Amino acid sequence: MQIVKNFIDGEFVDSVEGKTFDKRSPIDNSVIARVAEAGQADVDRAVRAAKAARNGVWGGLTTDQRVDLLYGVADEITRRFEDFVAAEMADTGQPRHVMTHVFIPRGAANFKVFADIIKNVPTESFQMATPDGRGALNYGLRVPKGVVGVISPWNAPFLLMTWKVAPALACGNTVVVKPSEETPLTAALLGEVMNKVGIPRGVYNVVNGFGPASAGEYLTRNQGVDAITFTGETRTGTTIMQAAAQGMRDVSFELGGKNAGIVFADADFDAAVEGIFRSAFLNSGQVCLGTERVYVERPIFERFVAALKQKAEAVKFGRPDDPEANYGPLISDEHRRKVLSYYAKAVEEGATVVTGGGVPDMPAALAQGNWVQPTIWTGLPETASVVREEVFGPCCHIRPFDSEDEVVNLANDNDYGLSTTIWTTNLTRAHRMAARIEVGITWINSWFLRDLRTAFGGSKQSGIGREGGVHSLEFYTEMRNVCVKL
Ligand code: NAD
């Protein structure tokens, strides 16, 4: 069994109190790692180390020197690609192709992209007139915030964690990361990478543990943390925001979603079925940008439901490295219970179960894993729980619609506003709708296609702020103005 320690001030350490917790495999619930649980003293030490590095060696580097080190991190992740793939497969139980195509390459890309951005981004400058006619020159200076607390979820652990760590470090901050208790492995591996490429001690720290009364809460309450970036549930974000209010610390939040997928009768039918299949079921439905509400124009409704059902029934459950398998389990037994309780509720509230709704038969060796069937419902009112609330599982409700106005109103009738995906060959209509749907990201004839230079974030209860490209700099730096009288 693997031992996972905290990574503080460049060293892998046990927690002062000696507490540990078990990390279980999603595929069979066996214990695969014993993880050091950081207590208050460990978190405080990590924050002090981060502060010392920020005020010391890391703060003294030029942008070019930092950028070179971050390129080194990206290269070392790529060199150790297989180690990262193996760690993330063990943590999440998701198929190898998801790791090799999305989760791990994006981790390396995050470091490259933000290194490039910080090297090339200009600051602003304004000249102004003064009564003596000589004028004044204003120019902006970008400075790092200081120590950034990074709190990340389990659904795409390495991708989402590095999406925050990379811009934070590129901008000259130092970080203390609290990865999800469900997925501690790749954050620890990244510590090895940091040491290997010569990132100074204290720049990247990892404290393991849970949220309330554990490492997460200790980190967000620590007044040495200057800003907090968080990805996770909206409810958790509310608690973290309350903690951040003490000391007036800035927050960046990427939160939950209940995203609509919209398919018009004029869409490329096969592409739309494939696109909605991916958006509803990739990563076993555990994608914040995923589609749990699907609206299909009435003339193709029956045909669309039948085609999606066929694809959902064709998935092959199995181990991540099984070449015959293409479908993984949910992250934990607790999450499976939650998803299955929504499956039961959908039936209670009158759903027609088109497919799924339960647990697949698995061979004995995997029978204890967190498997659930991809599930499609029809026939529910918009007030039903599975139509309003984020399930975060492999499921969607499909409803017919008759007009553009109707479907825009349906899409917007939700507290969340993260993303939407629209399938149509009428691009005039698609552009018009993109401006009307209240989300941070609209995909047209695509889904999860990400250019890392673009703004990423949620509207309404799906987030605060935008990360990605230069937008990340708004959070990870502070702009100062210098005014020079000429
Ligand atoms: P979660 O909110 O339960 O946990 C996220 C992280 O917060 C974990 O590290 C957890 O330990 C920590 N945490 C929990 N309570 C805390 C507290 N009181 N103080 C400090 N830290 C605390 O979320 P999850 O279940 O890990 O992830 C799934 C959620 O994340 C879904 O809602 C999903 O939509 C959302 N998500 C959003 C995005 C996005 O970009 N908008 C991306 C991925 C996931």
Side-chain angles (χ1 to χ4, degrees), residues 317-437:
F317 299 94
R319 295 177 184 279
D321 52 2
D322 176 351
E324 301 292 308
N326 61 11
Y327 213 73
L330 298 181
I331 190 69
S332 64
D333 182 48
E334 184 190 349
H335 190 52
R336 183 168 83 146
R337 283 169 204 264
K338 175 182 158 190
V339 170
L340 289 176
S341 77
Y342 272 112
Y343 283 14
K345 219 179 218 177
V347 173
E348 280 164 29
E349 292 182 338
T352 300
V353 181
V354 174
T355 186
V359 173
D361 281 335
M362 298 300 293
L366 300 180
Q368 299 306 312
N370 312 314
W371 310 93
V372 299
Q373 291 172 322
T375 294
I376 300 172
W377 304 289
T378 56
L380 284 170
E382 291 297 295
T383 50
S385 309
V386 297
V387 183
R388 301 217 70 76
E389 298 166 23
E390 182 185 50
V391 179
F392 217 54
C395 55
C396 63
H397 176 257
I398 317 185
R399 167 191 167 133
F401 71 89
D402 296 296
S403 76
E404 180 183 324
D405 280 347
E406 178 196 4
V407 79
V408 167
N409 289 334
L410 287 166
N412 285 341
D413 181 21
N414 197 268
D415 292 338
Y416 292 109
L418 188 52
S419 74
T420 192
T421 169
I422 303 171
W423 294 82
T424 177
T425 48
N426 180 346
L427 286 188
T428 304
R429 174 168 59 199
H431 288 300
R432 194 167 55 222
M433 288 177 66
R436 293 177 69 197
I437 297 185

Side-chain angles (χ1 to χ4, degrees), residues 263 265 296-302 400-402 406:
V263 184
V296 179
E297 208 173 7
R298 199 173 299 275
I300 61 162
F301 179 77
E302 301 294 342
F401 71 89
D402 296 296
E406 178 196 4

Side-chain angles (χ1 to χ4, degrees), residues 151-152 154 178 181 216 231-233 236 254-256 288 390 456:
I151 302 194
S152 48
W154 46 258
K178 210 298 280 172
E181 55 275 27
T231 300
E233 284 188 26
T236 312
E254 295 178 341
L255 307 175
C288 56
E390 182 185 50
F456 180 90

Side-chain angles (χ1 to χ4, degrees), residues 4-8 11-15 36-38 206-208:
V4 180
K5 300 192 177 190
N6 298 308
F7 184 70
I8 301 177
E11 285 173 10
F12 287 97
V13 289
D14 289 319
S15 62
E37 183 182 348
V206 182
V207 290
N208 289 295

